[in-house]
Amino acid sequence: MPIPTSRTNETARVIISEELCNGCGLCVDVCKDFGLVIEDGKVKATGNRIFGCIACAHCIMICPHDAIKIDGRFTSADDLFELPKKNEAADYTSLLNLLKRRRAIREFKDTPVPQDMIDKIIAAAKTAPMGLPPSDVNVLILDTKEKGMAFAKDYCDHLKNLKWIVSKWSLTLMKPFMSKANNDMFRDFLKPLIDTYTASIDKGENVVTYDAPLTMYFYGSPYTDPADPIIAATYAMIAAESLGLGTCMIGGVHPFTQNGKSAAQFRAKQNIRFKSREGLIVIMGYPRVKYHHGINRTFASVDQP
Ligand SMILES: Cc1cc2nc3c(=O)[nH]c(=O)nc-3n(C[C@H](O)[C@H](O)[C@H](O)COP(=O)(O)O)c2cc1C
């Protein structure tokens, strides 16, 4: 059965050129749907597959003879590109230095981010791995500070409708049905967060998207693996950093805009196509502040038994 996404629920077609195939078997090795076999010295696509071809395209990318094409699930051989040379790619040191120089930036110059930079960020984010091809990640781009502010304002108007959820009586009532961690988070994080968002916007301050000249919201569909938008957002963030922009992830919007009528109205007004399990905003722009040091962070645990 094909794996459904919001974009397609078809299986891709695998087309093999008997003329070009020399039966080397590289494609068989990388196809983890286990549907390719070598018969009489040539590769064959069998009907004996787990999901059918999901268009991961590993077979066409590994084939040294251009003997395979796939068609469907928003992928075709026309999408192939030549790999950049290894010596043109970032090495560990340059990547680590880029990562070390990154800081969450919430203080931006008014300078707009040019369209070619937005295009470059999206091009880089599109290379992100996804749970199941084709990517089921949607991106909403707000390319001015004013659009970011309008988004923040609509969001805070929506939050005002939700205030009862984090009220004292509601949290007391829900306590027996919630885990301790959830109750703690509602009381000590979400309530103050909602209060801060709504009080600030009433004073004309935007602590949702922080007056960033560029806001990108990565979100899924009801079918999307929750990790996918997060990974795509992370790639976008790193790409933006490499272009000299400051960035900050904003997780305080997505969870509150999924359920209920007011959330649906917010999504419709902001052209958000779907409700989804996960989503993440990355704000971007030229930083107004400059840090002089980095700081070592730690993981909660790193076990290597
Ligand atoms: C998933 C995620 C969600 C975040 N949400 C917010 C947010 O809603 N508002 C905000 O100001 N910062 C947010 N941040 C930024 C963090 O607060 C920031 O990364 C943290 O302050 C550490 O600073 P650093 O990124 O410079 O190391 C978020 C970061 C992540 C990874």
Side-chain angles (χ1 to χ4, degrees), residues 105-158:
I105 296 293
R106 304 174 181 87
E107 303 77 20
F108 298 100
K109 293 181 184 166
D110 270 343
T111 322
V113 178
Q115 186 61 45
D116 71 310
M117 261 195 199
I118 298 175
D119 296 342
K120 283 178 174 169
I121 294 164
I122 293 295
K126 278 197 266 185
T127 69
M130 67 224 78
L132 294 162
S135 170
D136 209 359
V137 171
N138 300 281
V139 192
L140 174 70
I141 301 174
L142 306 173
D143 55 9
T144 63
K145 171 180 142 178
E146 290 70 27
K147 288 181 193 172
M149 181 60 162
F151 180 92
K153 206 171 165 319
D154 280 352
Y155 175 56
C156 291
D157 285 346
H158 157 62

Short mmCIF file of all heavy atoms in Angstrom, two decimals, residues 105-158:
data_model
loop_
_atom_site.label_atom_id
_atom_site.label_comp_id
_atom_site.label_asym_id
_atom_site.label_seq_id
_atom_site.Cartn_x
_atom_site.Cartn_y
_atom_site.Cartn_z
N ILE A 105 19.00 35.13 18.42
CA ILE A 105 18.94 36.59 18.25
C ILE A 105 17.47 37.04 18.24
O ILE A 105 16.65 36.50 17.49
CB ILE A 105 19.63 37.00 16.92
CG1 ILE A 105 21.13 36.67 16.97
CG2 ILE A 105 19.41 38.49 16.63
CD1 ILE A 105 21.96 37.45 17.96
N ARG A 106 17.18 38.00 19.08
CA ARG A 106 15.82 38.54 19.15
C ARG A 106 15.84 40.05 18.97
O ARG A 106 14.83 40.72 19.17
CB ARG A 106 15.18 38.19 20.50
CG ARG A 106 15.16 36.69 20.80
CD ARG A 106 14.65 36.42 22.20
NE ARG A 106 14.63 35.01 22.55
CZ ARG A 106 15.68 34.35 23.07
NH1 ARG A 106 16.82 34.98 23.32
NH2 ARG A 106 15.57 33.07 23.37
N GLU A 107 17.02 40.58 18.60
CA GLU A 107 17.20 42.02 18.42
C GLU A 107 17.68 42.23 16.99
O GLU A 107 18.81 41.86 16.65
CB GLU A 107 18.24 42.58 19.41
CG GLU A 107 17.93 42.31 20.89
CD GLU A 107 18.24 40.88 21.33
OE1 GLU A 107 19.03 40.20 20.64
OE2 GLU A 107 17.69 40.44 22.35
N PHE A 108 16.80 42.81 16.16
CA PHE A 108 17.10 42.89 14.73
C PHE A 108 17.14 44.33 14.25
O PHE A 108 16.41 45.19 14.74
CB PHE A 108 16.03 42.15 13.92
CG PHE A 108 15.96 40.68 14.24
CD1 PHE A 108 14.98 40.19 15.10
CD2 PHE A 108 16.88 39.79 13.70
CE1 PHE A 108 14.92 38.83 15.41
CE2 PHE A 108 16.82 38.44 13.99
CZ PHE A 108 15.84 37.95 14.86
N LYS A 109 17.99 44.55 13.22
CA LYS A 109 17.94 45.82 12.50
C LYS A 109 16.66 45.83 11.66
O LYS A 109 16.12 44.77 11.36
CB LYS A 109 19.16 45.95 11.59
CG LYS A 109 20.47 46.08 12.32
CD LYS A 109 21.61 46.22 11.32
CE LYS A 109 22.95 46.24 12.08
NZ LYS A 109 24.10 46.03 11.19
N ASP A 110 16.26 47.02 11.24
CA ASP A 110 15.05 47.12 10.42
C ASP A 110 15.28 46.64 8.98
O ASP A 110 14.31 46.45 8.23
CB ASP A 110 14.55 48.57 10.41
CG ASP A 110 13.57 48.80 11.57
OD1 ASP A 110 13.07 47.79 12.12
OD2 ASP A 110 13.33 49.97 11.92
N THR A 111 16.55 46.45 8.59
CA THR A 111 16.88 46.07 7.20
C THR A 111 16.12 44.81 6.77
O THR A 111 16.20 43.78 7.45
CB THR A 111 18.40 45.76 7.11
OG1 THR A 111 19.09 46.68 7.94
CG2 THR A 111 18.89 45.78 5.69
N PRO A 112 15.41 44.89 5.63
CA PRO A 112 14.71 43.68 5.17
C PRO A 112 15.69 42.61 4.70
O PRO A 112 16.82 42.92 4.32
CB PRO A 112 13.87 44.17 3.98
CG PRO A 112 14.04 45.65 3.91
CD PRO A 112 15.21 46.04 4.74
N VAL A 113 15.26 41.38 4.72
CA VAL A 113 16.07 40.27 4.19
C VAL A 113 15.70 40.13 2.71
O VAL A 113 14.54 39.93 2.37
CB VAL A 113 15.79 38.95 4.94
CG1 VAL A 113 16.59 37.81 4.34
CG2 VAL A 113 16.10 39.12 6.43
N PRO A 114 16.70 40.26 1.81
CA PRO A 114 16.37 40.21 0.37
C PRO A 114 15.83 38.85 -0.08
O PRO A 114 16.14 37.82 0.52
CB PRO A 114 17.70 40.52 -0.33
CG PRO A 114 18.75 40.42 0.70
CD PRO A 114 18.12 40.45 2.06
N GLN A 115 15.04 38.91 -1.16
CA GLN A 115 14.37 37.69 -1.65
C GLN A 115 15.36 36.59 -2.00
O GLN A 115 15.11 35.41 -1.75
CB GLN A 115 13.49 38.03 -2.87
CG GLN A 115 12.64 36.87 -3.37
CD GLN A 115 11.65 36.36 -2.31
OE1 GLN A 115 10.98 37.14 -1.64
NE2 GLN A 115 11.56 35.03 -2.15
N ASP A 116 16.53 36.97 -2.57
CA ASP A 116 17.47 35.90 -2.97
C ASP A 116 17.99 35.14 -1.74
O ASP A 116 18.28 33.95 -1.82
CB ASP A 116 18.60 36.42 -3.85
CG ASP A 116 19.58 37.27 -3.08
OD1 ASP A 116 19.13 38.19 -2.37
OD2 ASP A 116 20.80 37.03 -3.19
N MET A 117 18.07 35.83 -0.60
CA MET A 117 18.47 35.13 0.63
C MET A 117 17.37 34.20 1.10
O MET A 117 17.63 33.08 1.55
CB MET A 117 18.77 36.14 1.73
CG MET A 117 20.23 36.40 1.88
SD MET A 117 20.51 37.22 3.45
CE MET A 117 22.10 37.89 3.08
N ILE A 118 16.14 34.67 1.01
CA ILE A 118 14.99 33.82 1.40
C ILE A 118 15.01 32.56 0.53
O ILE A 118 14.87 31.43 1.02
CB ILE A 118 13.66 34.58 1.24
CG1 ILE A 118 13.63 35.81 2.16
CG2 ILE A 118 12.46 33.67 1.47
CD1 ILE A 118 12.42 36.71 2.00
N ASP A 119 15.25 32.75 -0.78
CA ASP A 119 15.28 31.60 -1.70
C ASP A 119 16.40 30.64 -1.32
O ASP A 119 16.23 29.41 -1.37
CB ASP A 119 15.47 32.08 -3.15
CG ASP A 119 14.29 32.91 -3.64
OD1 ASP A 119 13.22 32.84 -3.02
OD2 ASP A 119 14.46 33.64 -4.63
N LYS A 120 17.56 31.20 -0.94
CA LYS A 120 18.69 30.33 -0.56
C LYS A 120 18.38 29.54 0.71
O LYS A 120 18.75 28.36 0.83
CB LYS A 120 19.95 31.19 -0.33
CG LYS A 120 20.61 31.65 -1.63
CD LYS A 120 21.81 32.51 -1.33
CE LYS A 120 22.55 32.84 -2.61
NZ LYS A 120 23.56 33.86 -2.43
N ILE A 121 17.73 30.18 1.65
CA ILE A 121 17.38 29.50 2.91
C ILE A 121 16.41 28.34 2.62
O ILE A 121 16.58 27.23 3.11
CB ILE A 121 16.77 30.51 3.91
CG1 ILE A 121 17.84 31.52 4.34
CG2 ILE A 121 16.18 29.79 5.13
CD1 ILE A 121 17.31 32.77 5.01
N ILE A 122 15.43 28.62 1.78
CA ILE A 122 14.45 27.57 1.43
C ILE A 122 15.15 26.44 0.66
O ILE A 122 14.91 25.26 0.92
CB ILE A 122 13.26 28.16 0.62
CG1 ILE A 122 12.44 29.11 1.52
CG2 ILE A 122 12.38 27.07 0.04
CD1 ILE A 122 11.74 28.44 2.69
N ALA A 123 16.05 26.81 -0.25
CA ALA A 123 16.77 25.77 -1.03
C ALA A 123 17.56 24.87 -0.09
O ALA A 123 17.59 23.64 -0.28
CB ALA A 123 17.69 26.43 -2.05
N ALA A 124 18.18 25.45 0.92
CA ALA A 124 18.96 24.63 1.87
C ALA A 124 18.02 23.79 2.74
O ALA A 124 18.29 22.60 2.99
CB ALA A 124 19.82 25.54 2.75
N ALA A 125 16.92 24.38 3.19
CA ALA A 125 16.00 23.65 4.08
C ALA A 125 15.36 22.46 3.35
O ALA A 125 15.05 21.44 3.96
CB ALA A 125 14.94 24.60 4.62
N LYS A 126 15.19 22.61 2.02
CA LYS A 126 14.59 21.52 1.24
C LYS A 126 15.47 20.27 1.18
O LYS A 126 15.02 19.21 0.79
CB LYS A 126 14.30 22.00 -0.19
CG LYS A 126 13.00 22.78 -0.30
CD LYS A 126 12.52 22.87 -1.72
CE LYS A 126 12.98 24.13 -2.39
NZ LYS A 126 12.47 24.35 -3.73
N THR A 127 16.76 20.42 1.54
CA THR A 127 17.64 19.24 1.53
C THR A 127 17.48 18.41 2.82
O THR A 127 18.11 17.37 2.95
CB THR A 127 19.13 19.63 1.40
OG1 THR A 127 19.55 20.29 2.61
CG2 THR A 127 19.39 20.53 0.21
N ALA A 128 16.68 18.88 3.74
CA ALA A 128 16.54 18.19 5.04
C ALA A 128 15.99 16.78 4.85
O ALA A 128 15.14 16.55 3.98
CB ALA A 128 15.60 18.99 5.94
N PRO A 129 16.45 15.84 5.65
CA PRO A 129 15.84 14.51 5.59
C PRO A 129 14.39 14.57 6.05
O PRO A 129 14.03 15.45 6.84
CB PRO A 129 16.68 13.69 6.57
CG PRO A 129 17.35 14.66 7.46
CD PRO A 129 17.48 15.95 6.70
N MET A 130 13.59 13.65 5.52
CA MET A 130 12.17 13.64 5.92
C MET A 130 11.79 12.21 6.25
O MET A 130 12.40 11.27 5.71
CB MET A 130 11.29 14.20 4.81
CG MET A 130 11.26 13.31 3.58
SD MET A 130 11.41 14.19 2.03
CE MET A 130 13.15 14.53 1.95
N GLY A 131 10.81 12.04 7.11
CA GLY A 131 10.41 10.70 7.53
C GLY A 131 10.07 9.82 6.35
O GLY A 131 10.55 8.70 6.23
N LEU A 132 9.23 10.33 5.48
CA LEU A 132 8.82 9.57 4.30
C LEU A 132 8.66 10.53 3.13
O LEU A 132 7.87 11.44 3.22
CB LEU A 132 7.47 8.90 4.55
CG LEU A 132 7.43 7.82 5.62
CD1 LEU A 132 6.00 7.57 6.04
CD2 LEU A 132 8.09 6.55 5.12
N PRO A 133 9.39 10.32 2.07
CA PRO A 133 9.23 11.21 0.92
C PRO A 133 7.83 11.06 0.31
O PRO A 133 7.28 9.97 0.40
CB PRO A 133 10.30 10.72 -0.06
CG PRO A 133 11.24 9.90 0.76
CD PRO A 133 10.45 9.33 1.89
N PRO A 134 7.27 12.08 -0.34
CA PRO A 134 7.85 13.40 -0.46
C PRO A 134 7.63 14.21 0.82
O PRO A 134 6.70 13.91 1.57
CB PRO A 134 7.04 14.03 -1.61
CG PRO A 134 5.69 13.40 -1.49
CD PRO A 134 5.94 11.99 -1.00
N SER A 135 8.47 15.21 1.03
CA SER A 135 8.34 16.02 2.24
C SER A 135 6.90 16.50 2.41
O SER A 135 6.29 16.98 1.46
CB SER A 135 9.27 17.23 2.16
OG SER A 135 8.97 18.11 3.23
N ASP A 136 6.40 16.37 3.61
CA ASP A 136 5.05 16.86 3.90
C ASP A 136 5.15 18.07 4.84
O ASP A 136 4.35 18.23 5.74
CB ASP A 136 4.22 15.73 4.53
CG ASP A 136 2.74 15.87 4.21
OD1 ASP A 136 2.37 16.84 3.53
OD2 ASP A 136 1.96 15.02 4.67
N VAL A 137 6.19 18.86 4.60
CA VAL A 137 6.40 20.07 5.40
C VAL A 137 5.89 21.28 4.61
O VAL A 137 6.15 21.39 3.41
CB VAL A 137 7.90 20.24 5.74
CG1 VAL A 137 8.17 21.61 6.39
CG2 VAL A 137 8.37 19.12 6.65
N ASN A 138 5.18 22.14 5.29
CA ASN A 138 4.70 23.39 4.70
C ASN A 138 5.48 24.54 5.32
O ASN A 138 5.86 24.47 6.49
CB ASN A 138 3.21 23.58 5.01
CG ASN A 138 2.38 22.44 4.44
OD1 ASN A 138 2.09 22.41 3.27
ND2 ASN A 138 2.04 21.47 5.29
N VAL A 139 5.70 25.58 4.53
CA VAL A 139 6.43 26.74 5.04
C VAL A 139 5.61 28.00 4.79
O VAL A 139 5.22 28.27 3.65
CB VAL A 139 7.82 26.90 4.36
CG1 VAL A 139 8.66 27.92 5.12
CG2 VAL A 139 8.55 25.58 4.25
N LEU A 140 5.36 28.74 5.84
CA LEU A 140 4.72 30.05 5.71
C LEU A 140 5.82 31.10 5.90
O LEU A 140 6.51 31.09 6.92
CB LEU A 140 3.65 30.21 6.79
CG LEU A 140 3.00 31.59 6.88
CD1 LEU A 140 2.10 31.85 5.67
CD2 LEU A 140 2.17 31.72 8.17
N ILE A 141 5.98 31.98 4.91
CA ILE A 141 7.05 32.99 4.98
C ILE A 141 6.42 34.37 5.16
O ILE A 141 5.61 34.80 4.33
CB ILE A 141 7.90 32.96 3.69
CG1 ILE A 141 8.52 31.58 3.50
CG2 ILE A 141 8.99 34.04 3.73
CD1 ILE A 141 9.27 31.41 2.18
N LEU A 142 6.79 35.04 6.24
CA LEU A 142 6.35 36.42 6.46
C LEU A 142 7.58 37.27 6.26
O LEU A 142 8.51 37.24 7.08
CB LEU A 142 5.78 36.57 7.88
CG LEU A 142 4.66 35.58 8.24
CD1 LEU A 142 4.29 35.70 9.72
CD2 LEU A 142 3.43 35.80 7.38
N ASP A 143 7.62 38.01 5.14
CA ASP A 143 8.88 38.62 4.73
C ASP A 143 9.04 40.09 5.10
O ASP A 143 9.89 40.77 4.56
CB ASP A 143 9.11 38.41 3.23
CG ASP A 143 7.94 38.93 2.40
OD1 ASP A 143 7.04 39.59 2.98
OD2 ASP A 143 7.91 38.67 1.19
N THR A 144 8.19 40.57 6.00
CA THR A 144 8.42 41.92 6.54
C THR A 144 8.12 41.90 8.04
O THR A 144 7.39 41.03 8.54
CB THR A 144 7.48 42.99 5.90
OG1 THR A 144 6.13 42.66 6.22
CG2 THR A 144 7.67 43.09 4.39
N LYS A 145 8.68 42.91 8.71
CA LYS A 145 8.43 43.07 10.14
C LYS A 145 6.93 43.29 10.39
O LYS A 145 6.36 42.78 11.36
CB LYS A 145 9.25 44.30 10.58
CG LYS A 145 9.02 44.83 11.93
CD LYS A 145 9.94 46.03 12.14
CE LYS A 145 9.23 47.11 12.93
NZ LYS A 145 10.08 48.26 13.20
N GLU A 146 6.29 44.01 9.47
CA GLU A 146 4.87 44.32 9.64
C GLU A 146 4.02 43.04 9.56
O GLU A 146 3.07 42.87 10.33
CB GLU A 146 4.40 45.33 8.58
CG GLU A 146 4.95 46.74 8.76
CD GLU A 146 6.45 46.87 8.46
OE1 GLU A 146 6.97 46.06 7.65
OE2 GLU A 146 7.10 47.76 9.05
N LYS A 147 4.39 42.16 8.62
CA LYS A 147 3.63 40.90 8.52
C LYS A 147 3.83 40.06 9.79
O LYS A 147 2.91 39.40 10.26
CB LYS A 147 4.06 40.10 7.28
CG LYS A 147 3.60 40.71 5.96
CD LYS A 147 4.06 39.86 4.78
CE LYS A 147 3.88 40.59 3.47
NZ LYS A 147 4.48 39.88 2.33
N GLY A 148 5.05 40.09 10.33
CA GLY A 148 5.34 39.37 11.57
C GLY A 148 4.52 39.93 12.72
O GLY A 148 4.00 39.19 13.57
N MET A 149 4.38 41.24 12.73
CA MET A 149 3.60 41.89 13.80
C MET A 149 2.12 41.54 13.67
O MET A 149 1.46 41.26 14.67
CB MET A 149 3.81 43.42 13.73
CG MET A 149 3.07 44.18 14.81
SD MET A 149 3.63 43.65 16.46
CE MET A 149 3.07 44.99 17.49
N ALA A 150 1.61 41.55 12.44
CA ALA A 150 0.19 41.22 12.24
C ALA A 150 -0.06 39.77 12.69
O ALA A 150 -1.09 39.47 13.31
CB ALA A 150 -0.19 41.39 10.77
N PHE A 151 0.88 38.89 12.39
CA PHE A 151 0.80 37.48 12.82
C PHE A 151 0.76 37.41 14.34
O PHE A 151 -0.08 36.74 14.94
CB PHE A 151 2.02 36.74 12.25
CG PHE A 151 2.09 35.28 12.59
CD1 PHE A 151 1.55 34.32 11.74
CD2 PHE A 151 2.75 34.84 13.74
CE1 PHE A 151 1.64 32.96 12.04
CE2 PHE A 151 2.84 33.49 14.04
CZ PHE A 151 2.29 32.55 13.19
N ALA A 152 1.70 38.13 14.98
CA ALA A 152 1.79 38.12 16.45
C ALA A 152 0.51 38.67 17.07
O ALA A 152 0.01 38.14 18.07
CB ALA A 152 3.00 38.94 16.89
N LYS A 153 -0.04 39.69 16.44
CA LYS A 153 -1.24 40.32 16.99
C LYS A 153 -2.44 39.35 16.90
O LYS A 153 -3.17 39.16 17.87
CB LYS A 153 -1.53 41.62 16.24
CG LYS A 153 -2.29 42.59 17.06
CD LYS A 153 -2.39 43.95 16.44
CE LYS A 153 -3.49 44.72 17.17
NZ LYS A 153 -4.69 43.95 17.50
N ASP A 154 -2.59 38.75 15.73
CA ASP A 154 -3.68 37.76 15.56
C ASP A 154 -3.51 36.62 16.55
O ASP A 154 -4.48 36.12 17.12
CB ASP A 154 -3.64 37.15 14.15
CG ASP A 154 -4.28 38.07 13.13
OD1 ASP A 154 -4.87 39.09 13.53
OD2 ASP A 154 -4.16 37.77 11.93
N TYR A 155 -2.26 36.21 16.72
CA TYR A 155 -1.98 35.09 17.64
C TYR A 155 -2.36 35.46 19.07
O TYR A 155 -3.01 34.68 19.78
CB TYR A 155 -0.50 34.71 17.54
CG TYR A 155 -0.09 33.66 18.53
CD1 TYR A 155 -0.74 32.43 18.57
CD2 TYR A 155 0.94 33.89 19.44
CE1 TYR A 155 -0.37 31.46 19.49
CE2 TYR A 155 1.31 32.93 20.36
CZ TYR A 155 0.64 31.72 20.38
OH TYR A 155 0.99 30.77 21.30
N CYS A 156 -1.99 36.67 19.48
CA CYS A 156 -2.30 37.09 20.85
C CYS A 156 -3.81 37.27 21.04
O CYS A 156 -4.34 36.96 22.12
CB CYS A 156 -1.52 38.35 21.21
SG CYS A 156 0.24 38.01 21.35
N ASP A 157 -4.49 37.76 19.99
CA ASP A 157 -5.96 37.85 20.08
C ASP A 157 -6.55 36.46 20.32
O ASP A 157 -7.46 36.27 21.12
CB ASP A 157 -6.55 38.43 18.79
CG ASP A 157 -6.32 39.93 18.70
OD1 ASP A 157 -5.96 40.53 19.74
OD2 ASP A 157 -6.45 40.49 17.60
N HIS A 158 -5.99 35.49 19.61
CA HIS A 158 -6.44 34.10 19.79
C HIS A 158 -6.13 33.60 21.20
O HIS A 158 -6.97 32.96 21.85
CB HIS A 158 -5.78 33.23 18.71
CG HIS A 158 -5.69 31.79 19.06
ND1 HIS A 158 -6.80 30.99 19.28
CD2 HIS A 158 -4.61 30.97 19.25
CE1 HIS A 158 -6.39 29.76 19.58
NE2 HIS A 158 -5.08 29.73 19.57
#
